[in-house]
Amino acid sequence: MTDVKTYLEPAEEKMEMAVAYLEEALAHIRAGKANPKILDGIRVDYYGSAAPISNVANVSVPDARTIAITPWEKSMFKEIEKAIINSDLGITPENNGEVIRISIPPLTEERRKALVKQSKGEAENAKISVRNARRDAIEGLKKAVKNGMPEDVEKDAEAKVQKIHDNYMKKIEDVFAAKEKEILTV
């Protein structure tokens, strides 16, 4: 006879990973405030290999609207600037010879709505992942009944899976609501 935990633990793990992925995905969405994570996807040519900006420079946020990039080597100024200009950020960096500054412009109302829509899509993908994890766990429990698990144990386990599912759905809603508030705050 199989144990209920063999179905509950993997389901909860998948749900936890869905929430973590959502948080990571939303961190990369620009919300009008300077956040060094928006540079994570940008790669620069560093001695023949593509490296993230954070591997070739110090990235800091001196104020709410500015990201400062201090390359460790003078030769990297042009490479970093070129990578930022060619990226989909839509922001032109400023270079004073010491530091590359990226000024984050305030978002337009139209852009804010588009970012909220993008965030909602990411949240919906996370919800789908959580639902799939619940479905897989319940299917596994139903198969376990055929293999000798008592039906009342299976029903209790299904209720636990549903409770875990509801908990993670609330977490996803909270994460999305926080990001939506961040985007819409002028």
Side-chain angles (χ1 to χ4, degrees):
M1 189 174 92
T2 55
D3 187 21
V4 172
K5 284 184 181 173
T6 57
Y7 301 103
L8 293 181
E9 287 173 356
E12 189 165 5
E13 204 172 287
K14 286 178 187 170
M15 292 177 191
E16 185 64 49
M17 286 177 8
V19 172
Y21 178 81
L22 173 66
E23 288 170 345
E24 184 66 25
L26 292 183
H28 290 275
I29 295 176
R30 186 163 73 89
K33 282 195 295 212
N35 182 349
K37 282 201 180 277
I38 64 171
L39 301 174
D40 284 356
I42 302 173
R43 302 277 184 244
V44 293
D45 183 38
Y46 186 62
Y47 295 111
S49 66
I53 291 177
S54 59
N55 286 10
V56 298
N58 184 26
V59 180
S60 61
V61 182
D63 61 62
R65 294 251 181 244
T66 310
I67 297 174
I69 303 168
T70 312
W72 296 325
E73 299 175 23
K74 293 277 184 205
S75 63
M76 292 309 296
F77 274 98
K78 290 275 182 254
E79 291 291 335
I80 293 172
E81 277 189 309
K82 190 169 75 174
I84 293 169
I85 290 168
N86 293 337
S87 74
D88 61 353
L89 274 184
I91 300 172
T92 307
E94 303 162 19
N95 176 356
N96 67 5
E98 303 267 321
V99 177
I100 298 170
R101 293 193 194 288
I102 300 174
S103 296
I104 307 293
L107 298 170
T108 63
E109 188 64 31
E110 190 177 296
R111 182 74 177 131
R112 286 178 195 281
K113 286 179 181 169
L115 290 174
V116 167
K117 193 174 184 178
Q118 182 183 351
S119 299
K120 192 169 188 71
E122 293 289 351
E124 203 49 51
N125 288 341
K127 285 181 179 180
I128 289 168
S129 296
V130 168
R131 287 186 201 113
N132 288 342
R134 175 188 61 181
R135 184 197 63 224
D136 293 346
I138 290 174
E139 283 175 3
L141 288 166
K142 289 195 187 306
K143 285 180 186 165
V145 168
K146 291 177 184 165
N147 295 337
M149 179 187 279
E151 278 188 36
D152 58 336
V153 172
E154 183 257 345
K155 289 293 178 203
D156 290 345
E158 266 188 46
K160 282 182 187 168
V161 169
Q162 186 61 41
K163 202 173 192 178
I164 293 168
H165 165 269
D166 295 345
N167 184 13
Y168 280 97
M169 286 302 219
K170 175 147 179 35
K171 280 185 184 178
I172 289 170
E173 284 297 324
D174 293 346
V175 168
F176 170 69
K179 186 64 176 185
E180 184 179 35
K181 184 177 181 224
E182 182 184 342
I183 291 170
L184 294 177
T185 302
V186 180

